[in-house]
């Protein structure tokens, strides 16, 4: 496959893994990159720039293909400005091929990153933000629909509408995310003008993702209406699996709880533990509506190969119906 994204990032297929706190680690990243996509190491898994450097070097031992790093610039009690500075500096020094930024724009780092040959993309949920990202000099923009796991923008616009709106509004390449899982969604995203897709939830259901088998079973069993938006009332909405914990958060939000009262329920350590121990009710497990489309656990290579093959077949068939 050839799009501006495959050319820009030096990858075989325009299939990218998004940031996944606790899950996007060297082994999964390398498996995705080795399969021809772009793997991801999520910087916020690590406490310092040097820990991130060690993870990057570990990944380089596992793959010679391009890799990506996610840096999430959201209000945080764990990270200081200095640590964020170090994350970006380490990525430039280690010549990471691509950085995915989310949250606050990384304007002050762009020059340093570009001088080091790093390509930078930013995840947005609105046309106005996509236009800013282009103006700041980013290389690509990710259009993230409300379906996505993680923290969709509270504009609440779906991938189906947001993607073509952003495509018609900027000239830099657009990557689609939120609800992408298979060849059908890859074909749809390409048809709507995307030059690549980014997925996270679907990559959890791969053999190389180090989660407990209970999590895989839960992703297969649950349907598209089994996620919920928590923390909307405090302006920090996040999409997670409906479970005991998210019900508890919604209950206290209903009673007017503030962020200080909600945060203890959302401890990062609890989710880290829940992913590996498989207690699906113990923490807020960030997943997208795409869980409704997850039917099996595959290797990353099987997933990427089937997506490309199916998308090609679909797009060729559709062309045939105009003859
Ligand atoms: C378990 C999980 C953790 C995530 N953590 C982050 C994160 O740390 N930073 C970030 O920018 N996005 C994060 N996201 C959002 C994804 O990178 C991506 O934008 C989104 O999940 C795409 O939609 P999908 O879930 O339908 O594939 C996370 C998503 C999941 C499923």
């Amino acid at each position: 496959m050839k799009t501006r994204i495959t050319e820009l990032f030096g990858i075989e297929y325009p299939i990218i893994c998004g940031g996944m706190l606790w899950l996007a680690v060297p082994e999964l990243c390398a498996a995705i990159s080795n399969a021809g996509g772009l793997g991801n190491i999520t910087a916020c898994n690590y406490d310092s720039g040097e820990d991130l450097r060690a993870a990057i070097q570990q990944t380089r031992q596992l793959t010679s293909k391009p890799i990506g790093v996610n840096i999430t610039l959201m209000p945080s009690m764990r990270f200081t400005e200095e640590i964020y500075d170090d994350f970006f500096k380490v990525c430039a020094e280690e010549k990471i091929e691509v950085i995915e930024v989310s949250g606050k724009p990384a304007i002050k780092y762009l020059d340093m990153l570009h001088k080091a040959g790093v390509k930078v993309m930013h995840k947005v949920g609105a046309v106005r933000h996509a236009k800013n990202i282009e103006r700041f000099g980013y290389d690509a923009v990710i259009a993230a629909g409300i379906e996505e796991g993680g923290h969709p923008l509270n504009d609440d616009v779906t991938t189906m509408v947001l993607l073509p709106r952003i495509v018609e509004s900027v000239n830099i390449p657009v990557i689609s995310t939120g609800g992408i899982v298979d060849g059908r969604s890859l074909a749809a995203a390409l048809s709507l003008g995307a030059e690549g897709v980014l997925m996270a939830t679907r990559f959890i259901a791969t053999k190389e993702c180090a989660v407990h088998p209970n999590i895989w079973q839960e992703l297969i069993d649950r349907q598209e209406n089994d996620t919920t938006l928590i923390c909307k009332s405090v302006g920090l909405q996040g999409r997670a699996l409906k479970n005991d914990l998210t019900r508890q958060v919604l209950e206290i939000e209903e009673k007017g709880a503030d962020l200080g009262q909600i945060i203890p329920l959302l401890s990062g350590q609890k989710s880290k533990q829940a992913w590996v121990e498989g207690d699906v009710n113990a923490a807020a497990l960030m997943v997208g509506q795409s869980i409704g489309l997850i039917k099996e656990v595959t290797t990353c290579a099987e997933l990427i190969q089937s997506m490309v093959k199916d998308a090609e077949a679909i797009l060729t068939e559709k062309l045939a119906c105009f003859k």
Side-chain angles (χ1 to χ4, degrees), residues 284-296:
L285 299 174
M286 310 309 275
V287 291
Q289 293 180 337
S290 53
I291 54 169
L293 293 161
I294 293 177
K295 311 274 195 292
E296 58 178 346

Side-chain angles (χ1 to χ4, degrees), residues 17-21 23 42 44 70-72 100-103 123 144 147-151 177-180 198-202 204 275 285-290:
C17 180
M20 280 199 282
L21 187 63
L23 302 181
T42 294
C44 296
N70 167 280
I71 303 180
T72 303
E100 177 207 22
V101 186
S102 61
K123 194 153 57 190
E147 300 93 323
E148 71 160 346
H151 292 282
T177 199
I180 313 280
L198 180 143
M199 319 188 290
T201 304
R202 181 60 186 84
I204 305 175
W275 290 120
L285 299 174
M286 310 309 275
V287 291
Q289 293 180 337
S290 53

Side-chain angles (χ1 to χ4, degrees), residues 1 24 77 100 111 133 175 275 290:
M1 289 185 72
M77 300 205 305
E100 177 207 22
D111 198 35
I133 287 310
I175 295 157
W275 290 120
S290 53

